[in-house]
């Protein structure tokens, strides 16, 4: 949500008025006309997640202008992010849910999740899943996962802001929850609007249970880079649902080996 600065009573400059209630204006006693919101006000995402950490953090996003990149401001450093303001090369803001998106910087990223060697030539890397204060992590992830599976719910993944070498941004994968608690997450190597190869991934119900747990699932599919993967379910006041998947290298995320973070929105 965007926050516009507002003058405190009695603290606004300007002439006229002079009434005993401390308001100022153009001769109208007791009324204050708030200043217009800044044209490029920052939007606060209070329950976000960054690369390499499972702790929620409040981030703010200032949109790009015709002369400057978007800026992501963080109170703490993370892999590929410095404390303070960071220039972004791409952002994704979901259109079918409110208050959720992705922030991406310029960095090598020929991986999607645990699949390597995809989207070669795309140097855009997800650094944060943006979630505003309306989103909260599920307190009953197993029950919620079962409910999603009963409906065969599908989500579109937007890792790396959906950047593609072959064309405009598009989803990076499609995740489908199975009735038995298993799921598939089929990765798009390329752009479905031009040329694409689909890399099919399957996860058992037991693996999904581990992914949804606080401990996560230790994935050894890449022998040289084992990662602990976690999948979190978030709901908002409008009863909408998104997923966030994080992969954190077993030895700890670094700028050279940051792991991954991806947002999944309803398909």
């Amino acid at each position: 949500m965007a926050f516009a600065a507002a003058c405190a009573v009695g603290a606004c400059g300007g002439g006229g008025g002079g009434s005993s209630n401390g308001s100022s204006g153009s001769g109208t006693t007791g009324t204050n006309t708030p200043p217009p919101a800044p044209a490029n006000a920052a939007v606060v995402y209070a329950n976000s997640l960054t690369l390499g950490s499972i702790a929620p953090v409040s981030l703010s996003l200032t949109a790009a202008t015709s002369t400057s990149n978007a800026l992501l401001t963080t109170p703490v450093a993370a892999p590929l992010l410095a404390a303070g303001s960071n220039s972004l090369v791409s952002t994704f803001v979901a259109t079918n849910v409110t208050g959720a998106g992705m922030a991406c910087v310029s960095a090598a990223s020929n991986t999607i999740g645990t699949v390597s060697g995809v989207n070669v030539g795309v140097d855009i890397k997800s650094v944060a899943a943006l979630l505003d204060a309306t989103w909260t992590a599920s307190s009953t992830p197993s029950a919620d996962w079962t409910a999603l599976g009963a409906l065969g719910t599908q989500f579109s993944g937007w890792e790396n802001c959906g950047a593609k070498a072959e064309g405009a941004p598009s989803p990076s994968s499609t995740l489908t929850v199975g009735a038995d608690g298993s799921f598939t997450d089929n990765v798009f190597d390329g752009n479905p609007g031009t040329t694409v190869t689909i890399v099919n991934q399957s996860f058992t119900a037991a693996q999904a249970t581990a992914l949804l747990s606080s401990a996560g699932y230790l994935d050894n599919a890449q022998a040289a880079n084992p990662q602990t993967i976690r999948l979190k379910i978030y709901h908002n006041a409008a009863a909408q649902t998104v997923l966030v998947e994080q992969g954190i290298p077993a030895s700890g995320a670094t700028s050279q080996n940051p792991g991954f973070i991806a947002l999944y929105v309803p398909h």
Side-chain angles (χ1 to χ4, degrees), residues 76-104:
V76 294
L80 306 181
L81 287 174
S85 293
N86 297 263
S87 180
L88 303 177
V89 296
S90 184
T91 58
F92 164 74
V93 177
T95 57
N96 58 344
V97 297
T98 58
M102 292 296 303
C104 301

Side-chain angles (χ1 to χ4, degrees), residues 46-148:
N47 291 328
S48 300
L49 294 168
T50 62
L51 271 175
S53 175
I54 61 173
V57 61
S58 183
L59 304 175
S60 63
L61 176 67
T62 304
T65 69
S66 59
T67 57
S68 63
N69 288 352
L71 294 176
L72 184 71
T73 302
T74 170
V76 294
L80 306 181
L81 287 174
S85 293
N86 297 263
S87 180
L88 303 177
V89 296
S90 184
T91 58
F92 164 74
V93 177
T95 57
N96 58 344
V97 297
T98 58
M102 292 296 303
C104 301
V105 300
S106 177
S109 59
N110 66 336
T111 61
I112 294 174
T114 60
V115 179
S116 59
V118 290
N119 280 350
V120 175
V122 175
D123 290 326
I124 296 176
K125 179 74 175 176
S126 296
V127 290
L130 305 173
L131 298 167
D132 71 13
T134 66
W135 292 97
T136 55
S138 170
S139 60
T140 56
S142 294
D144 289 346
W145 187 254
T146 298
L148 293 171

Side-chain angles (χ1 to χ4, degrees), residues 3 14 34 58 64 83 90 111 132 139 150 166 175 178 181 187 190 195 198 230:
F3 293 91
S58 183
S90 184
T111 61
D132 71 13
S139 60
E166 296 85 356
L175 187 153
V187 169
T195 179
I198 298 177
R230 293 177 178 85

